[in-house]
Amino acid sequence: MDFLKLADKKIIVFGLANRKSVACAIAKVLQEAGAEVIHVVRSDMRKETAEKLFPEARVYVCDVENEENIARVKKEIEASVDGKVHGIVHSIAFANYSDGFKPFHETNKKDFLQAIDISCFSLLAICKHFKELLDENGSVVTISISTTRMAAENYGYMAPIKAALESSLCFLAKSFSGFSNIRFNAVCPGLLKTSASA
């Protein structure tokens, strides 16, 4: 039963990295519900992975750290789809922990700003560039974390960045309410063991 009413809907999923990624699990559920899933991944290597996991799906490459790539991939998708897109899933997060976890007050400014850019601002940029392609009754969903109200040290500095992401949803909903009924939501799962978190 299609209780989500997703049959024949076109949904763009940003962020698949591998079979363990949250974006992969979401795409599988969408596909099982009858939706047409369009993947946007960060690199050519991830494109190969996505094509193996979802051989029927269209896959595009876009490194969201450069906003010009977002504008480009929007044009590419728009040229290949018939009609509007009904939803966007933003499952993108990055933080540089190559030096290991440090106390929060020792967070490197460059790393923090890069994480904000990729993990939070990318949602704003995607919504800005894709707004004309989204159905006026569509939906945008992002992936947050279990809580942004306590200092969960295992999240490192990603927790305050996810807090900024969640706050941005309110402002996006307000901005888009002037011309659409597009809904903005965050899914806040518990601790997840993904390749990225490992």
Side-chain angles (χ1 to χ4, degrees):
M1 180 178 176
D2 180 23
F3 71 95
L4 294 174
K5 298 182 179 178
L6 289 169
D8 301 320
K9 303 288 187 182
K10 291 186 281 290
I11 312 292
I12 302 172
V13 176
F14 281 82
L16 185 145
N18 52 53
R19 63 181 179 81
K20 291 183 179 180
S21 58
V22 176
C24 184
I26 292 169
K28 285 180 181 176
V29 171
L30 290 170
Q31 195 174 65
E32 288 167 4
E36 177 188 348
V37 179
I38 301 166
H39 289 279
V40 180
V41 298
R42 186 173 64 87
S43 65
D44 289 328
M45 186 171 69
R46 290 185 176 178
K47 184 175 189 285
E48 290 178 14
T49 299
E51 288 172 339
K52 288 177 183 175
L53 292 168
F54 299 92
E56 305 90 23
R58 283 175 277 194
V59 184
Y60 299 85
V61 175
C62 174
D63 183 344
V64 298
E65 197 168 3
N66 183 342
E67 191 172 344
E68 291 178 1
N69 289 333
I70 298 172
R72 170 190 51 77
V73 81
K74 180 264 181 181
K75 291 178 181 176
E76 291 175 359
I77 293 173
E78 186 174 37
S80 69
V81 299
D82 183 24
K84 298 284 188 177
V85 168
H86 302 92
I88 291 175
V89 176
H90 174 271
S91 184
I92 301 170
F94 174 81
N96 181 16
Y97 295 125
S98 59
D99 294 332
F101 280 91
K102 299 177 181 178
F104 182 69
H105 65 274
E106 293 182 10
T107 301
N108 180 285
K109 178 180 178 180
K110 180 180 178 183
D111 291 341
F112 189 88
L113 294 179
Q114 182 187 37
I116 274 281
D117 186 12
I118 296 172
S119 309
C120 179
F121 184 77
S122 63
L123 176 64
L124 279 69
I126 288 167
C127 290
K128 177 177 75 173
H129 289 284
F130 279 79
K131 66 182 176 66
E132 302 297 336
L133 189 55
L134 267 170
D135 184 271
E136 67 173 15
N137 293 304
S139 179
V140 175
V141 175
T142 191
I143 310 302
S144 188
I145 56 179
S146 56
T147 179
T148 58
R149 297 178 181 274
M150 61 178 277
E153 290 185 357
N154 55 309
Y155 281 132
Y157 57 87
M158 184 55 75
I161 288 168
K162 289 292 190 178
L165 177 69
E166 288 189 32
S167 178
S168 298
L169 285 173
C170 300
F171 287 88
L172 282 168
K174 179 65 175 176
S175 293
F176 273 63
S177 69
F179 58 85
S180 76
N181 296 313
I182 293 171
R183 300 172 304 284
F184 292 85
N185 289 285
V187 175
C188 303
L191 298 174
L192 297 172
K193 184 76 174 212
T194 64
S195 297
S197 66

